């Protein structure tokens, strides 16, 4: 039995049995990781440039697969000074084949965070599982009229005429991605604040262009009081520690993605900072250690 809700006599309805949010402090900045749910995806999308037998063995060693596995989907909420910043927005209702995702609006509400309090939104890139939540009608209505949405100018330009030539996505994903990106730009054109290389959204919160996964993909650096955390977006996947050179089927430039990933992991290993990523298993808070030519994920001990 795998229950995800439980009835309580004190409350009407149901509460989630398993935690879907995790809070930590980076200096004076509040950080909340929120699970938007999971995406069941083919294991082959995790490594498109290796022998299928090698890929199958890795998944076997991880006790998942062999053909499908649940891909975590995490978003971030930051509070710095008078700013409340949402980093990505989950899937929303953009793809009916992923019924267990699109949970972030209700989970944000359960955490006591009103969407109307969000002053800024950082979009790491415009794939449907990062902007789809902003297309939910209830979310659109609850966001404040002056909310600022930060996304790289390169990303916006890319989705005018997107290129899927180097990707290996299952159908009909590419068409849904294209449609969702167009809907997002149309819905929020007057709220988007495009930036080039980097943007300081709030004190200690900097979005920085990396490219790779998409040409305009960015990561988010959080720093305060001598402490650091990086939200890696889709620059990193679960296989990336053991095999940073494995290509992901959703990467628009796989070779550049490898360079971005290795550089990110090297920096995290050298600094000892926290690392969080969209598709690492929730709560996705940990550190990176160098391990020969590869890397090792060191999950943080929950602090509560």
């Amino acid at each position: 039995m795998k229950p995800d809700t439980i009835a309580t006599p004190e409350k009407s309805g149901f509460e989630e049995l398993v935690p879907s949010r995790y809070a930590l402090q980076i200096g004076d900045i509040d950080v909340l990781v929120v699970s938007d749910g999971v995406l069941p995806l083919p294991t082959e999308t995790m490594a498109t440039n290796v022998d299928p037998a090698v890929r199958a063995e890795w998944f076997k060693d991880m006790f998942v697969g062999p053909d499908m596995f649940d891909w975590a989907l995490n978003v971030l909420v930051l509070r710095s000074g008078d700013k409340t910043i949402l980093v990505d927005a989950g899937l929303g209702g953009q793809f009916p084949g992923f019924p267990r995702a699109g949970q972030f609006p209700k989970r944000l509400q359960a955490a006591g965070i009103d969407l109307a309090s969000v002053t800024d939104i950082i979009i790491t890139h415009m794939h449907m599982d990062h902007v789809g939540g902003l297309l939910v009608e209830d979310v659109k209505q609850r966001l404040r009229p002056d909310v600022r949405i930060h996304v790289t100018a390169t990303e916006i330009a890319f989705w005018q005429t997107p290129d899927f030539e180097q990707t290996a996505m299952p159908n009909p994903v590419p068409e849904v991605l294209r449609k969702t990106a167009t809907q997002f730009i149309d819905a929020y054109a007057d709220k988007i604040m495009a930036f080039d290389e980097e943007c300081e959204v709030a004190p200690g919160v900097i979005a920085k262009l990396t490219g790779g996964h998409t040409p305009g993909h960015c990561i988010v650096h959080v720093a305060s009081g001598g402490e650091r955390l990086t939200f890696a977006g889709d620059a990193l996947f679960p296989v990336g520690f053991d095999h940073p050179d494995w290509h992901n089927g959703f990467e628009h430039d796989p070779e550049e993605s490898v360079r971005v990933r290795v550089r990110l992991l090297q920096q995290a290993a050298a600094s000892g900072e926290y690392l969080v990523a969209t598709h690492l298993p929730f709560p996705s808070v940990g550190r990176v250690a160098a391990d020969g030519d590869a890397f090792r994920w060191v999950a943080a001990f929950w602090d509560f």
Side-chain angles (χ1 to χ4, degrees), residues 35-221:
S35 170
D36 190 58
V38 294
L39 312 171
L41 287 168
T43 53
E44 63 184 357
T45 61
M46 287 294 99
T48 60
N49 62 328
V50 299
D51 187 300
V54 174
R55 181 179 62 228
E57 188 63 26
W58 185 87
F59 277 97
K60 180 180 179 182
D61 288 345
M62 295 296 289
F63 298 94
V64 289
D67 300 317
M68 301 285 291
F69 81 116
D70 287 339
W71 205 2
L73 181 52
N74 306 308
V75 304
L76 213 62
V77 180
L78 308 170
R79 281 179 173 153
S80 175
D82 61 352
K83 303 283 186 66
T84 297
I85 304 157
L86 176 66
V87 183
D88 288 339
L91 181 70
Q94 292 304 110
F95 197 80
F98 298 143
R100 289 185 289 156
Q103 306 296 317
F104 111 86
K106 71 177 184 181
R107 289 174 171 173
L108 212 60
Q109 184 176 5
I113 298 175
D114 186 353
L115 277 168
S117 71
V118 173
T119 59
D120 296 81
I121 301 171
I122 301 172
I123 298 299
T124 60
H125 62 294
M126 286 162 46
H127 277 171
M128 62 183 175
D129 52 328
H130 298 258
V131 300
L134 296 179
L135 299 177
V136 175
E137 198 58 40
D138 185 51
V139 172
K140 291 165 67 176
Q141 292 175 358
R142 289 161 59 195
L143 287 172
R144 55 198 296 165
D146 62 345
V147 68
R148 297 175 291 267
I149 301 179
H150 307 271
V151 59
T152 68
T154 304
E155 186 73 357
I156 294 171
F158 171 74
W159 287 101
Q160 305 302 319
T161 54
D163 178 8
F164 293 89
E165 185 175 339
Q166 297 187 73
T167 64
M169 304 177 186
N171 285 322
V173 170
E175 185 52 39
V176 179
L177 290 175
R178 185 183 290 106
K179 178 181 177 182
T180 299
T182 300
Q183 290 175 333
F184 167 72
I185 293 173
D186 289 346
Y188 291 101
D190 62 335
K191 304 182 188 307
I192 290 175
M193 303 183 69
F195 66 95
D196 293 322
E197 294 296 323
E198 66 178 48
C199 172
E200 185 176 28
V201 178
V205 180
I206 295 176
K208 185 174 182 178
L209 173 70
T210 64
H213 184 74
T214 64
H217 180 277
C218 74
I219 60 177
V220 181
H221 293 300

